[in-house]
Amino acid sequence: MTPQTCGVLVIGGGPSGLTAAANLAAQCRVVVLERESAAGGIPRHSDHTGYGLRDLRRVMSGPEYARVLVERAVAAGAEIRTESMMTSWVDDHTVAVTSPQGRYEISAPAIILATGARERPRSARLVAGDRPAGVFTTGSLQNLVHLHHGSPGSKALVVGTELVSWSAVLTLREAGCETVAMITERDRPESYAAFHHGAKVGLSTPVSTMTKVRRILGRDRVEAVEVEDVATGALRTINCDTVVFTADWIPDNELARLAHIDMAAGSGGPQVDTMLRTSRPGLFAIGNLVHPVDTADVCALDGRHVATAVRDFLAQRSTPGQSVSIVVQAPLRWISPSVMRVGDGAPARRKFLFWTDEYRPVARLTATQGHAVIGRITLPWPAAPGRVLRVPSALLARADFSAGPITVALT
């Protein structure tokens, strides 16, 4: 089989992949592989407002945002191939693809992984009980409602209280399904306080903290959910015919693992430097694959940021310099990017992204190398589980590339 060729191959047609394609198509032939029937990623079937503020400087609905990103990539000259799935690596710069037109190989000197992240489903959360119909993730719910115009049920329990959880509530309301309760195992909702309180009042949705799912009841269709009070162990039953498991994000990292590149501790995605390079020359990773999970517009700005590094690589204008790795201490789970190199610029938006497993009303971070403190910062916003903590890159401005790994901790 003679491989097809292009200048840049983008795996994934969501906000980050489409934005990267739009920013590179003027310099070389760019091909985007998208496994779904249409490009646009999660926003395509997230039919509510709130998209596009950081990258497009205007607010729009998810489907409109997806359409604009697709149009920009196509107008720039990118070729978007839908229903096309990369299935394996042939070599470092060639992949095998399965599509409705058959199987083929395509090769590119630069490849960008933009495969995103997904919510952990009920099976992966090891929730006991029956296996009835009516159990969804936010993604499968929105696909059913917004793309296929189906009905999820009449009364729903939403597991999770992150921003995406409220997105699920909006989708349920549009489908005529009442959200009878939202639950979280944590002692406070994970979404922003202003948003949480406003949504709670506006959507009239009861929220229970310190509550976890014990088992799902119902043979053919969900009939009820047994939940437990985390503090007391008391059990109660919530009657419903629909359960939506939200958040608990994991990166779609299968293709990255097959590439045998260095993987980041904690996040499960590829390890990248501030220019979004992986450990394999010519292979880049962006978006929620490397920081699961941030908003669509932040992911899109990754696509804009990586374009500079890809252009430099293709033109052989620079060689990656000496590197230093960045690790975190609990309750921080991960940092992205987790590598800095001599001569590189700041990360996208001049921010390092962190994930924390504990709530801290005042987020103070300290960066050390060996016994030396190289940076301290106190943020004007809290560190909270369920949402990315964005930290100015100035925290690590004094990094010594010869002094060993950098450790960042909440203090």
Side-chain angles (χ1 to χ4, degrees):
M1 183 185 300
T2 302
Q4 302 176 27
T5 60
C6 62
V8 177
L9 180 64
V10 181
I11 314 298
S16 62
L18 290 170
T19 304
N23 280 269
L24 288 164
Q27 287 77 42
C28 62
R29 183 185 178 212
V30 177
V31 173
V32 180
L33 300 180
E34 168 55 49
R35 64 186 177 186
E36 299 290 337
S37 59
I42 289 176
R44 187 169 64 92
H45 48 76
S46 184
D47 196 9
H48 59 77
T49 192
Y51 289 89
L53 180 60
R54 293 180 180 89
D55 58 334
L56 302 182
R57 300 299 181 185
R58 54 194 173 104
V59 179
M60 60 190 73
S61 71
E64 182 185 6
Y65 178 67
R67 177 181 54 77
V68 169
L69 293 184
V70 169
E71 289 175 349
R72 289 189 170 205
V74 172
E79 178 185 349
I80 301 174
R81 301 181 182 180
T82 57
E83 297 183 308
S84 298
M85 179 181 294
M86 174 187 163
T87 53
S88 64
W89 294 92
V90 177
D91 58 41
D92 285 0
H93 297 284
T94 307
V95 306
V97 180
T98 299
S99 73
Q101 290 73 42
R103 296 185 70 251
Y104 62 90
E105 295 175 0
I106 184 167
S107 178
I111 298 176
I112 301 173
L113 294 177
T115 49
R118 62 183 183 270
E119 294 163 302
R120 203 180 302 272
R122 178 255 181 100
S123 57
R125 303 185 194 210
L126 304 179
V127 174
D130 300 320
R131 297 291 184 268
V135 180
F136 301 89
T137 61
T138 308
S140 60
L141 170 71
Q142 293 179 332
N143 190 291
L144 171 70
V145 173
H146 298 312
L147 296 186
H148 301 285
H149 310 291
S151 174
S154 59
K155 293 183 181 296
L157 169 71
V158 173
V159 182
T161 55
E162 295 185 19
L163 288 174
V164 70
S165 311
W166 289 104
S167 178
V169 172
L170 289 170
T171 300
L172 290 165
R173 184 175 69 166
E174 182 172 328
C177 183
E178 176 190 3
T179 302
V180 296
M182 298 178 73
I183 65 171
T184 176
E185 295 185 35
R186 301 191 182 277
D187 60 358
R188 65 182 65 230
E190 292 100 323
S191 59
Y192 298 104
F195 183 89
H196 164 72
H197 293 305
K200 182 178 177 182
V201 173
L203 298 172
S204 302
T205 302
V207 177
S208 297
T209 57
M210 300 292 287
T211 304
K212 69 176 182 180
V213 176
R214 281 290 301 270
R215 61 184 179 131
I216 294 175
L217 308 174
R219 182 62 59 87
D220 298 321
R221 177 79 196 190
V222 173
E223 297 175 4
V225 176
E226 185 180 77
V227 301
E228 176 185 352
D229 186 300
V230 174
T232 66
L235 301 177
R236 62 188 174 99
T237 300
I238 299 176
N239 294 321
C240 59
D241 60 9
T242 303
V243 183
V244 185
F245 288 94
T246 69
D248 196 2
W249 299 96
I250 51 176
D252 272 319
N253 60 14
E254 290 81 4
L255 297 177
R257 290 190 177 278
L258 288 173
H260 302 294
I261 57 177
D262 294 341
M263 303 299 287
S267 71
Q271 186 180 72
V272 294
D273 59 25
T274 58
M275 302 309 292
L276 299 170
R277 309 180 191 96
T278 71
S279 58
R280 177 193 287 182
L283 181 61
F284 303 80
I286 60 177
N288 281 332
L289 173 62
V290 295
H291 44 74
V293 63
D294 210 337
T295 59
D297 51 2
V298 167
C299 293
L301 291 174
D302 269 8
R304 186 180 301 173
H305 185 73
V306 78
T308 299
V310 173
R311 291 190 200 99
D312 287 345
F313 172 79
L314 293 175
Q316 299 181 340
R317 282 194 291 260
S318 64
T319 300
Q322 181 181 358
S323 67
V324 61
S325 61
I326 313 166
V327 297
V328 296
Q329 290 184 348
L332 296 175
R333 186 188 303 180
W334 54 255
I335 178 175
S336 182
S338 56
V339 174
M340 297 174 63
R341 296 185 185 277
V342 172
D344 282 355
R349 300 181 63 238
R350 309 189 72 81
K351 297 285 194 302
F352 283 96
L353 307 180
F354 293 82
W355 194 269
T356 179
D357 290 319
E358 291 181 11
Y359 181 83
R360 299 289 176 88
V362 179
R364 297 187 179 94
L365 292 98
T366 301
T368 58
Q369 276 185 291
H371 299 292
V373 175
I374 63 169
R376 287 193 177 96
I377 194 168
T378 300
L379 302 177
W381 49 81
R387 59 181 186 259
V388 170
L389 181 65
R390 304 184 181 101
V391 178
S393 58
L395 173 69
L396 303 182
R398 293 168 51 203
D400 182 345
F401 289 90
S402 62
I406 300 167
T407 299
V408 181
L410 273 172
T411 55

